[in-house]
Amino acid sequence: MSWNWNETIINHEYSYENLKQLLKNFCENKSEYSQYELAKWCDNLTMAWEEEDLDEKGDLTFFIARDIECQWDLYLVNTYTDKQLRALDLNTVSMPENWIQNWFQKLNAGVWVEGYISESQLNDEGVSNMRRYLFSIGWAVIAIGLFVYWYVTK
């Protein structure tokens, strides 16, 4: 499949270790990147890994990256008006700090801690269903974004 890759200044390989380090740097206020750059990098990771056969660590990385990029989009449309979004420098926007900490804790724990994935779902079918669910959320967020863009530019 052909994807529209986001341009981002984060030039790290898409991996569990790199996502974990990026989140750790945000938690410690040592990041050289904006959360906007993180969201774009995470979106690229999910596109790169969309059809890959991942192990448990890869699935966790995929789920968290998808959650970060979806929550970023939802945070923007739920926090700012259309007029504000048009004038906003996205590199200055920050999601709540506890969200970043939560994602980092999930990577550290090695499991999706909340009720999104239960013990009984940690099999091939459950993981596959979760990936489809997160993929559909991603497309819903894209549709919302396109609608907002259309509405703002009409």
Side-chain angles (χ1 to χ4, degrees):
M1 181 171 278
S2 177
W3 300 102
N4 281 334
W5 295 93
N6 298 290
E7 289 185 29
T8 178
I9 61 173
I10 302 176
N11 292 317
H12 302 310
E13 178 184 340
Y14 302 119
S15 70
Y16 166 86
E17 292 79 15
N18 285 335
L19 178 57
K20 186 175 175 181
Q21 187 61 52
L22 287 166
L23 291 174
K24 180 180 180 187
N25 289 346
F26 275 104
C27 289
E28 296 174 350
N29 294 318
K30 295 179 181 177
S31 181
E32 60 186 282
Y33 307 112
S34 67
Q35 289 185 8
Y36 177 48
E37 292 296 328
L38 174 67
K40 292 188 297 182
W41 185 86
C42 286
D43 189 30
N44 287 348
L45 181 148
T46 63
M47 288 186 284
W49 288 12
E50 182 60 43
E51 296 179 15
E52 296 295 319
D53 188 22
L54 303 170
D55 60 12
E56 286 184 31
K57 191 183 278 189
D59 277 328
L60 178 64
T61 304
F62 180 88
F63 295 152
I64 291 174
R66 175 61 50 102
D67 198 38
I68 291 170
E69 58 102 358
C70 288
Q71 293 303 325
W72 172 260
D73 292 338
L74 291 171
Y75 181 75
L76 290 177
V77 298
N78 289 318
T79 305
Y80 300 99
T81 66
D82 296 338
K83 186 176 181 180
Q84 289 172 318
L85 280 171
R86 279 184 263 149
L88 193 61
D89 175 2
L90 295 176
N91 285 302
T92 64
V93 176
S94 292
M95 295 179 283
E97 196 172 303
N98 65 316
W99 293 7
I100 300 288
Q101 292 168 350
N102 189 322
W103 289 314
F104 179 65
Q105 289 171 355
K106 288 177 184 177
L107 275 179
N108 263 345
V111 302
W112 188 271
V113 179
E114 297 171 343
Y116 296 111
I117 299 177
S118 67
E119 290 284 330
S120 63
Q121 290 175 312
L122 289 178
N123 57 39
D124 290 339
E125 183 179 332
V127 170
S128 177
N129 288 340
M130 180 57 67
R131 289 180 79 183
R132 269 186 252 137
Y133 170 74
L134 289 171
F135 183 73
S136 64
I137 288 174
W139 281 111
V141 170
I142 289 170
I144 291 168
L146 289 172
F147 174 77
V148 168
Y149 176 77
W150 169 81
Y151 181 79
V152 168
T153 58
K154 71 174 185 170

